[in-house]
mmCIF file of all heavy atoms in Angstrom:
data_model
loop_
_atom_site.group_PDB
_atom_site.id
_atom_site.type_symbol
_atom_site.label_atom_id
_atom_site.label_comp_id
_atom_site.label_asym_id
_atom_site.label_seq_id
_atom_site.Cartn_x
_atom_site.Cartn_y
_atom_site.Cartn_z
ATOM 1 N N TRP A 170 19.504 1.870 -8.978
ATOM 2 C CA TRP A 170 20.841 2.259 -8.490
ATOM 3 C C TRP A 170 20.980 2.064 -6.958
ATOM 4 O O TRP A 170 22.117 2.075 -6.476
ATOM 5 C CB TRP A 170 21.187 3.691 -8.878
ATOM 6 C CG TRP A 170 20.128 4.702 -8.566
ATOM 7 C CD1 TRP A 170 19.091 5.064 -9.374
ATOM 8 C CD2 TRP A 170 19.908 5.430 -7.346
ATOM 9 N NE1 TRP A 170 18.290 5.941 -8.734
ATOM 10 C CE2 TRP A 170 18.758 6.204 -7.520
ATOM 11 C CE3 TRP A 170 20.651 5.513 -6.150
ATOM 12 C CZ2 TRP A 170 18.290 7.043 -6.518
ATOM 13 C CZ3 TRP A 170 20.124 6.338 -5.160
ATOM 14 C CH2 TRP A 170 19.007 7.116 -5.379
ATOM 15 N N ALA A 171 19.917 1.874 -6.280
ATOM 16 C CA ALA A 171 19.952 1.736 -4.828
ATOM 17 C C ALA A 171 19.905 0.194 -4.382
ATOM 18 O O ALA A 171 19.984 -0.105 -3.222
ATOM 19 C CB ALA A 171 18.843 2.497 -4.132
ATOM 20 N N ILE A 172 19.616 -0.679 -5.376
ATOM 21 C CA ILE A 172 19.383 -2.068 -5.041
ATOM 22 C C ILE A 172 20.750 -2.803 -4.888
ATOM 23 O O ILE A 172 21.529 -2.845 -5.837
ATOM 24 C CB ILE A 172 18.533 -2.764 -6.116
ATOM 25 C CG1 ILE A 172 17.116 -2.147 -6.094
ATOM 26 C CG2 ILE A 172 18.486 -4.261 -5.860
ATOM 27 C CD1 ILE A 172 16.200 -2.737 -7.151
ATOM 28 N N GLY A 173 20.999 -3.320 -3.695
ATOM 29 C CA GLY A 173 22.188 -4.133 -3.446
ATOM 30 C C GLY A 173 23.467 -3.343 -3.502
ATOM 31 O O GLY A 173 24.541 -3.865 -3.579
ATOM 32 N N THR A 174 23.390 -1.969 -3.525
ATOM 33 C CA THR A 174 24.579 -1.204 -3.651
ATOM 34 C C THR A 174 24.991 -0.531 -2.321
ATOM 35 O O THR A 174 26.112 0.069 -2.223
ATOM 36 C CB THR A 174 24.319 -0.007 -4.642
ATOM 37 O OG1 THR A 174 23.190 0.746 -4.168
ATOM 38 C CG2 THR A 174 24.010 -0.518 -6.008
ATOM 39 N N GLY A 175 24.124 -0.573 -1.349
ATOM 40 C CA GLY A 175 24.415 0.102 -0.096
ATOM 41 C C GLY A 175 24.198 1.635 -0.248
ATOM 42 O O GLY A 175 24.379 2.423 0.714
ATOM 43 N N LYS A 176 23.738 2.034 -1.398
ATOM 44 C CA LYS A 176 23.483 3.439 -1.680
ATOM 45 C C LYS A 176 22.008 3.724 -1.615
ATOM 46 O O LYS A 176 21.313 3.669 -2.654
ATOM 47 C CB LYS A 176 24.025 3.703 -3.089
ATOM 48 C CG LYS A 176 24.463 5.125 -3.298
ATOM 49 C CD LYS A 176 25.192 5.216 -4.666
ATOM 50 C CE LYS A 176 25.203 6.703 -5.094
ATOM 51 N NZ LYS A 176 24.688 6.903 -6.371
ATOM 52 N N THR A 177 21.490 3.964 -0.419
ATOM 53 C CA THR A 177 20.037 4.182 -0.276
ATOM 54 C C THR A 177 19.625 5.502 -0.831
ATOM 55 O O THR A 177 20.433 6.483 -0.732
ATOM 56 C CB THR A 177 19.633 4.241 1.226
ATOM 57 O OG1 THR A 177 20.480 3.346 1.903
ATOM 58 C CG2 THR A 177 18.191 3.874 1.439
ATOM 59 N N ALA A 178 18.470 5.617 -1.411
ATOM 60 C CA ALA A 178 17.930 6.970 -1.726
ATOM 61 C C ALA A 178 17.811 7.732 -0.386
ATOM 62 O O ALA A 178 17.443 7.073 0.631
ATOM 63 C CB ALA A 178 16.585 6.852 -2.432
ATOM 64 N N THR A 179 18.033 9.027 -0.373
ATOM 65 C CA THR A 179 17.797 9.733 0.884
ATOM 66 C C THR A 179 16.321 9.776 1.098
ATOM 67 O O THR A 179 15.539 9.623 0.150
ATOM 68 C CB THR A 179 18.289 11.208 0.760
ATOM 69 O OG1 THR A 179 17.515 11.864 -0.278
ATOM 70 C CG2 THR A 179 19.770 11.290 0.398
ATOM 71 N N PRO A 180 15.892 9.963 2.323
ATOM 72 C CA PRO A 180 14.417 10.049 2.584
ATOM 73 C C PRO A 180 13.752 11.102 1.657
ATOM 74 O O PRO A 180 12.670 10.856 1.137
ATOM 75 C CB PRO A 180 14.334 10.398 4.036
ATOM 76 C CG PRO A 180 15.575 9.796 4.655
ATOM 77 C CD PRO A 180 16.658 10.009 3.589
ATOM 78 N N GLY A 181 14.472 12.199 1.444
ATOM 79 C CA GLY A 181 13.893 13.223 0.523
ATOM 80 C C GLY A 181 13.771 12.756 -0.858
ATOM 81 O O GLY A 181 12.747 13.043 -1.557
ATOM 82 N N GLN A 182 14.807 12.105 -1.387
ATOM 83 C CA GLN A 182 14.744 11.590 -2.798
ATOM 84 C C GLN A 182 13.608 10.609 -2.932
ATOM 85 O O GLN A 182 12.894 10.598 -3.937
ATOM 86 C CB GLN A 182 16.098 10.906 -3.153
ATOM 87 C CG GLN A 182 17.181 11.853 -3.542
ATOM 88 C CD GLN A 182 18.474 11.037 -3.747
ATOM 89 O OE1 GLN A 182 18.767 10.094 -3.001
ATOM 90 N NE2 GLN A 182 19.264 11.385 -4.746
ATOM 91 N N ALA A 183 13.512 9.749 -1.974
ATOM 92 C CA ALA A 183 12.463 8.653 -2.046
ATOM 93 C C ALA A 183 11.097 9.307 -1.944
ATOM 94 O O ALA A 183 10.169 9.056 -2.756
ATOM 95 C CB ALA A 183 12.653 7.622 -0.908
ATOM 96 N N GLU A 184 10.936 10.254 -0.996
ATOM 97 C CA GLU A 184 9.609 10.889 -0.838
ATOM 98 C C GLU A 184 9.162 11.639 -2.094
ATOM 99 O O GLU A 184 7.983 11.627 -2.436
ATOM 100 C CB GLU A 184 9.634 11.831 0.388
ATOM 101 C CG GLU A 184 8.436 12.731 0.568
ATOM 102 C CD GLU A 184 7.059 11.984 0.763
ATOM 103 O OE1 GLU A 184 7.063 10.844 1.130
ATOM 104 O OE2 GLU A 184 6.031 12.615 0.465
ATOM 105 N N GLU A 185 10.127 12.283 -2.749
ATOM 106 C CA GLU A 185 9.770 12.996 -3.963
ATOM 107 C C GLU A 185 9.094 12.087 -5.008
ATOM 108 O O GLU A 185 8.102 12.434 -5.588
ATOM 109 C CB GLU A 185 11.081 13.591 -4.559
ATOM 110 C CG GLU A 185 10.833 14.560 -5.700
ATOM 111 C CD GLU A 185 12.166 15.017 -6.298
ATOM 112 O OE1 GLU A 185 13.176 14.290 -6.222
ATOM 113 O OE2 GLU A 185 12.178 16.085 -6.867
ATOM 114 N N VAL A 186 9.680 10.838 -5.145
ATOM 115 C CA VAL A 186 9.053 9.919 -6.112
ATOM 116 C C VAL A 186 7.806 9.307 -5.577
ATOM 117 O O VAL A 186 6.811 9.142 -6.304
ATOM 118 C CB VAL A 186 10.139 8.862 -6.486
ATOM 119 C CG1 VAL A 186 9.489 7.863 -7.505
ATOM 120 C CG2 VAL A 186 11.369 9.484 -7.079
ATOM 121 N N HIS A 187 7.772 9.015 -4.281
ATOM 122 C CA HIS A 187 6.491 8.478 -3.723
ATOM 123 C C HIS A 187 5.347 9.440 -3.876
ATOM 124 O O HIS A 187 4.202 9.070 -4.174
ATOM 125 C CB HIS A 187 6.709 8.149 -2.233
ATOM 126 C CG HIS A 187 7.392 6.801 -2.016
ATOM 127 N ND1 HIS A 187 6.897 5.770 -1.286
ATOM 128 C CD2 HIS A 187 8.607 6.378 -2.547
ATOM 129 C CE1 HIS A 187 7.732 4.788 -1.325
ATOM 130 N NE2 HIS A 187 8.736 5.073 -2.020
ATOM 131 N N ASP A 188 5.638 10.701 -3.656
ATOM 132 C CA ASP A 188 4.625 11.737 -3.807
ATOM 133 C C ASP A 188 4.149 11.765 -5.284
ATOM 134 O O ASP A 188 2.982 11.930 -5.566
ATOM 135 C CB ASP A 188 5.249 13.098 -3.396
ATOM 136 C CG ASP A 188 4.275 14.268 -3.630
ATOM 137 O OD1 ASP A 188 3.147 14.190 -3.060
ATOM 138 O OD2 ASP A 188 4.600 15.194 -4.412
ATOM 139 N N PHE A 189 5.088 11.650 -6.216
ATOM 140 C CA PHE A 189 4.806 11.654 -7.609
ATOM 141 C C PHE A 189 3.861 10.448 -7.926
ATOM 142 O O PHE A 189 2.842 10.565 -8.639
ATOM 143 C CB PHE A 189 6.041 11.577 -8.469
ATOM 144 C CG PHE A 189 5.792 11.379 -9.914
ATOM 145 C CD1 PHE A 189 5.547 12.492 -10.734
ATOM 146 C CD2 PHE A 189 5.823 10.113 -10.481
ATOM 147 C CE1 PHE A 189 5.297 12.335 -12.081
ATOM 148 C CE2 PHE A 189 5.616 9.962 -11.858
ATOM 149 C CZ PHE A 189 5.345 11.037 -12.658
ATOM 150 N N ILE A 190 4.229 9.274 -7.365
ATOM 151 C CA ILE A 190 3.413 8.070 -7.608
ATOM 152 C C ILE A 190 1.983 8.305 -7.038
ATOM 153 O O ILE A 190 0.991 7.954 -7.707
ATOM 154 C CB ILE A 190 4.057 6.879 -6.974
ATOM 155 C CG1 ILE A 190 5.393 6.528 -7.658
ATOM 156 C CG2 ILE A 190 3.117 5.604 -6.989
ATOM 157 C CD1 ILE A 190 6.230 5.438 -6.986
ATOM 158 N N ARG A 191 1.902 8.867 -5.874
ATOM 159 C CA ARG A 191 0.548 9.073 -5.250
ATOM 160 C C ARG A 191 -0.260 10.020 -6.138
ATOM 161 O O ARG A 191 -1.470 9.775 -6.357
ATOM 162 C CB ARG A 191 0.697 9.648 -3.844
ATOM 163 C CG ARG A 191 -0.591 9.882 -3.120
ATOM 164 C CD ARG A 191 -0.937 8.929 -2.016
ATOM 165 N NE ARG A 191 0.156 8.552 -1.152
ATOM 166 C CZ ARG A 191 0.373 7.318 -0.683
ATOM 167 N NH1 ARG A 191 -0.456 6.328 -0.966
ATOM 168 N NH2 ARG A 191 1.359 7.101 0.149
ATOM 169 N N GLN A 192 0.376 11.093 -6.663
ATOM 170 C CA GLN A 192 -0.366 11.997 -7.496
ATOM 171 C C GLN A 192 -0.798 11.317 -8.819
ATOM 172 O O GLN A 192 -1.873 11.586 -9.306
ATOM 173 C CB GLN A 192 0.537 13.205 -7.846
ATOM 174 C CG GLN A 192 0.692 14.130 -6.645
ATOM 175 C CD GLN A 192 1.507 15.355 -7.039
ATOM 176 O OE1 GLN A 192 1.392 15.858 -8.160
ATOM 177 N NE2 GLN A 192 2.326 15.822 -6.150
ATOM 178 N N PHE A 193 0.086 10.455 -9.330
ATOM 179 C CA PHE A 193 -0.298 9.742 -10.553
ATOM 180 C C PHE A 193 -1.522 8.837 -10.263
ATOM 181 O O PHE A 193 -2.476 8.840 -11.024
ATOM 182 C CB PHE A 193 0.867 8.847 -11.037
ATOM 183 C CG PHE A 193 0.549 7.986 -12.200
ATOM 184 C CD1 PHE A 193 0.811 8.444 -13.513
ATOM 185 C CD2 PHE A 193 -0.081 6.769 -12.057
ATOM 186 C CE1 PHE A 193 0.455 7.686 -14.596
ATOM 187 C CE2 PHE A 193 -0.459 6.001 -13.165
ATOM 188 C CZ PHE A 193 -0.134 6.483 -14.445
ATOM 189 N N LEU A 194 -1.531 8.135 -9.115
ATOM 190 C CA LEU A 194 -2.595 7.257 -8.781
ATOM 191 C C LEU A 194 -3.904 8.041 -8.557
ATOM 192 O O LEU A 194 -5.001 7.584 -8.873
ATOM 193 C CB LEU A 194 -2.308 6.431 -7.543
ATOM 194 C CG LEU A 194 -1.138 5.453 -7.647
ATOM 195 C CD1 LEU A 194 -0.798 4.819 -6.302
ATOM 196 C CD2 LEU A 194 -1.514 4.326 -8.639
ATOM 197 N N GLU A 195 -3.712 9.262 -8.045
ATOM 198 C CA GLU A 195 -4.916 10.114 -7.827
ATOM 199 C C GLU A 195 -5.568 10.530 -9.127
ATOM 200 O O GLU A 195 -6.768 10.503 -9.258
ATOM 201 C CB GLU A 195 -4.422 11.381 -7.023
ATOM 202 C CG GLU A 195 -5.596 12.120 -6.442
ATOM 203 C CD GLU A 195 -5.106 13.169 -5.443
ATOM 204 O OE1 GLU A 195 -4.067 12.921 -4.772
ATOM 205 O OE2 GLU A 195 -5.743 14.229 -5.361
ATOM 206 N N ARG A 196 -4.666 10.901 -10.149
ATOM 207 C CA ARG A 196 -5.266 11.280 -11.390
ATOM 208 C C ARG A 196 -5.894 10.094 -12.076
ATOM 209 O O ARG A 196 -6.967 10.180 -12.752
ATOM 210 C CB ARG A 196 -4.157 11.820 -12.345
ATOM 211 C CG ARG A 196 -3.782 13.279 -12.060
ATOM 212 C CD ARG A 196 -2.973 13.850 -13.184
ATOM 213 N NE ARG A 196 -1.743 13.073 -13.436
ATOM 214 C CZ ARG A 196 -0.587 13.156 -12.783
ATOM 215 N NH1 ARG A 196 -0.489 14.007 -11.778
ATOM 216 N NH2 ARG A 196 0.437 12.431 -13.101
ATOM 217 N N MET A 197 -5.326 8.903 -11.850
ATOM 218 C CA MET A 197 -5.834 7.715 -12.513
ATOM 219 C C MET A 197 -7.091 7.131 -11.805
ATOM 220 O O MET A 197 -7.996 6.725 -12.509
ATOM 221 C CB MET A 197 -4.710 6.656 -12.460
ATOM 222 C CG MET A 197 -4.914 5.436 -13.307
ATOM 223 S SD MET A 197 -3.387 4.472 -13.234
ATOM 224 C CE MET A 197 -3.942 3.067 -14.209
ATOM 225 N N ASN A 198 -7.095 7.161 -10.508
ATOM 226 C CA ASN A 198 -8.142 6.403 -9.813
ATOM 227 C C ASN A 198 -8.906 7.254 -8.775
ATOM 228 O O ASN A 198 -9.777 6.677 -8.071
ATOM 229 C CB ASN A 198 -7.486 5.276 -8.989
ATOM 230 C CG ASN A 198 -6.687 4.345 -9.941
ATOM 231 O OD1 ASN A 198 -7.189 3.896 -10.917
ATOM 232 N ND2 ASN A 198 -5.427 4.179 -9.588
ATOM 233 N N GLY A 199 -8.611 8.535 -8.625
ATOM 234 C CA GLY A 199 -9.299 9.353 -7.673
ATOM 235 C C GLY A 199 -8.609 9.350 -6.316
ATOM 236 O O GLY A 199 -7.778 8.539 -6.019
#
Side-chain angles (χ1 to χ4, degrees):
W170 48 271
I172 294 178
T174 56
K176 205 170 163 234
T177 327
T179 64
Q182 279 174 322
E184 170 60 22
E185 188 185 26
V186 179
H187 280 236
D188 176 60
F189 174 83
I190 293 171
R191 182 107 42 220
Q192 287 184 36
F193 177 93
L194 294 172
E195 194 168 328
R196 280 195 304 279
M197 192 174 174
N198 306 305

